[in-house]
Amino acid sequence: MNRTCAVDELLDGFSLEMTGRDTGEVGAIRDIVPPGTRINVTFLGGEDLTLRRSAARAVKAAGFVPVPHISARRLASPAALSEHLATLAADGTVEYVFVVGGDPATPHGPYSDALSVIESGLLQAHGVRRVSIAGYPEGHPDIPPAALWSALTGKSAALRRTGLAGEVITQFGFDVDPVLDWIEDVRGLGIDAPVRIGVPGPAGVHRLLRFAGRFGVGTSASIARKYGLSLTNLMGTAGPDRFLRALATDYHPDRHGVVKVHFYTFGGLRATSQWIADFRGGRLT
């Protein structure tokens, strides 16, 4: 398979990420994003339930598949989780969810991590069928590597026990090598769920580096050059074209299993969607 075909295969079935503040852009991407594309709706601390609910409903109304985020440590009680899921079910947006521990250092209620939400039994009770969980190929600034691996294996096992389909969505990165090495390690543990590799959408260099610093993503000078980032021109922009082409070259289904890509839309939902359409159409060099 040549590299162009490999890139097309990786991009087939790509997913996107948005916040509640991006709701106004959902209608604008209907002509450039394939129907049925999964769009994750993040759970930000500054956005209330009404805003997130409106975003998920807008995604569904536009012909896409909403994937609402559930932040375990932000849930005050089982009743709060049940109420949130019941609301999603009433809107027809509960089938796919992404469950993550979340930002608060101290849980607001009984759920200390994503595993505790998965094991609660409430997801299935409200009609959830597929659960995405987080993966960190380059680690997490606040969580030791051993704890990350333990969490990943525990969540994967719990999904199998509860009969929920699962997939892993990774943190974004700028270097293909550690991502693919990590996926091989995941497969070595017997985890065969699909993996969606996090890819930063086109955005300003300064913005990309700020997010990278927050999440512990490697941005050495050599990695920056490989990706196409200019550390001397922070006012410039960068897209993931080099990353995607390198991924298409080095990805091997027999070793890495089912792999797709998930775009973090730091530069905006519409801008990222247009970039993907242009890239797939050969309009970017």
Side-chain angles (χ1 to χ4, degrees):
M1 180 185 299
N2 63 46
R3 188 165 68 171
T4 299
C5 291
V7 170
D8 287 340
E9 184 174 319
L10 282 170
L11 286 173
D12 186 35
F14 70 86
S15 54
L16 295 160
E17 187 130 336
M18 64 174 281
T19 72
R21 299 184 183 93
D22 295 320
T23 301
E25 297 189 2
V26 173
I29 67 173
R30 293 179 68 172
D31 293 335
I32 54 177
V33 173
T37 295
R38 297 183 204 176
I39 301 183
N40 285 34
V41 180
T42 59
F43 195 127
L44 298 181
E47 297 182 350
D48 61 20
L49 178 59
T50 299
L51 186 60
R52 292 191 294 272
R53 180 182 183 183
S54 297
R57 292 171 68 176
V59 169
K60 182 183 178 184
F64 307 120
V65 176
V67 184
H69 284 204
I70 296 174
S71 178
R73 287 192 287 273
R74 292 189 185 278
L75 295 166
S77 65
L81 172 57
S82 186
E83 179 183 1
H84 181 46
L85 291 169
T87 299
L88 296 176
D91 292 339
T93 60
V94 77
E95 184 176 351
Y96 294 76
V97 298
F98 176 83
V99 183
V100 67
D103 295 331
T106 302
H108 295 175
Y111 303 110
S112 60
D113 52 24
L115 178 60
S116 58
V117 171
I118 294 169
E119 292 183 327
S120 72
L122 292 173
L123 300 179
Q124 309 93 300
H126 287 87
V128 173
R129 291 180 53 197
R130 178 176 291 273
V131 176
S132 300
I133 57 176
Y136 300 91
E138 296 186 61
H140 189 287
D142 300 320
I143 305 174
L148 288 175
W149 283 114
S150 177
L152 183 62
T153 55
K155 289 181 290 188
S156 298
L159 290 173
R160 288 193 297 271
R161 286 196 307 271
T162 55
L164 291 165
E167 68 175 12
V168 181
I169 300 179
T170 77
Q171 182 54 271
F172 75 93
F174 300 121
D175 189 359
V176 166
D177 293 340
V179 176
L180 291 178
D181 289 346
W182 179 85
I183 292 175
E184 285 198 65
D185 291 338
V186 169
R187 301 310 186 203
L189 292 172
I191 300 172
D192 59 2
V195 174
R196 290 182 176 269
I197 296 175
V199 178
V205 172
H206 183 268
R207 186 176 180 84
L208 290 171
L209 293 176
R210 179 162 56 86
F211 276 103
R214 177 182 172 187
F215 294 112
V217 175
T219 54
S220 67
S222 60
I223 291 174
R225 283 194 300 271
K226 182 189 294 187
Y227 186 83
L229 293 170
S230 173
L231 299 183
T232 60
N233 179 20
L234 298 183
M235 299 302 292
T237 60
D241 46 309
R242 294 188 188 182
F243 182 95
L244 291 171
R245 292 187 178 105
L247 180 61
T249 298
D250 297 337
Y251 158 64
H252 298 286
D254 57 329
R255 299 207 312 265
H256 302 115
V258 178
V259 170
K260 298 296 180 181
V261 294
H262 176 76
F263 288 91
Y264 291 91
T265 57
F266 300 135
L269 180 64
R270 184 173 184 177
T272 298
S273 300
Q274 187 62 60
W275 187 94
I276 297 168
D278 290 343
F279 183 71
R280 300 189 78 178
R283 295 183 292 274
L284 298 176
T285 57

